[in-house]
Amino acid sequence: MIPGGGQPNMQQLLQQAQKMQQDLAAAQQELAESQVEGSAGGGLVKATVSGAGELKGLVIDPRAVDPEDTETLADLVLAAVRDAGAAAQQLQQQKLGPLAQGLGGMPGLPF
């Protein structure tokens, strides 16, 4: 064995991993508290989701409600929720992407 031979400092590695874990937890908390909005039908239906993707609110303009055509309303709701979900995913990439790259695919982490 080479003296000081390229063995990583285990304490330093553990500290780095702990810091990354703390940063990840902070980013996840920030996502859970963040809200993004999606819309459809020119704003007739608006969905609000948390940065983690949880549906938080739904606003339907009365003009979108036609008792004879509930299918269109359902389509607008789905489109607004999907739009908000896509915005949440984009926010997740912004917040978690750099952390995931920093972890370098450490085993046991969901990346």
Side-chain angles (χ1 to χ4, degrees):
M1 193 163 155
I2 303 169
Q7 284 293 82
N9 180 335
M10 208 52 165
Q11 185 65 28
Q12 189 177 18
L13 284 175
L14 288 172
Q15 287 174 347
Q16 287 175 341
Q18 186 175 18
K19 181 180 182 333
M20 283 190 274
Q21 187 177 26
Q22 290 169 346
D23 290 348
L24 181 61
Q28 288 173 325
Q29 180 66 32
E30 190 176 333
L31 281 172
E33 293 171 359
S34 300
Q35 292 192 354
V36 293
E37 189 175 276
S39 66
L44 289 175
V45 176
K46 296 178 185 173
T48 303
V49 299
S50 73
E54 180 184 352
L55 184 62
K56 294 290 191 178
L58 188 62
V59 177
I60 300 172
D61 187 302
R63 294 174 295 164
V65 180
D66 178 356
E68 301 298 317
D69 185 12
T70 57
E71 287 180 21
T72 297
L73 177 57
D75 289 344
L76 290 173
V77 169
L78 283 174
V81 170
R82 286 184 183 132
D83 189 41
Q89 281 189 326
Q90 189 173 18
L91 184 61
Q92 290 169 10
Q93 284 295 334
Q94 289 172 355
K95 298 286 183 192
L96 300 178
L99 290 172
Q101 291 170 1
L103 294 172
M106 291 178 83
L109 295 175
F111 298 100

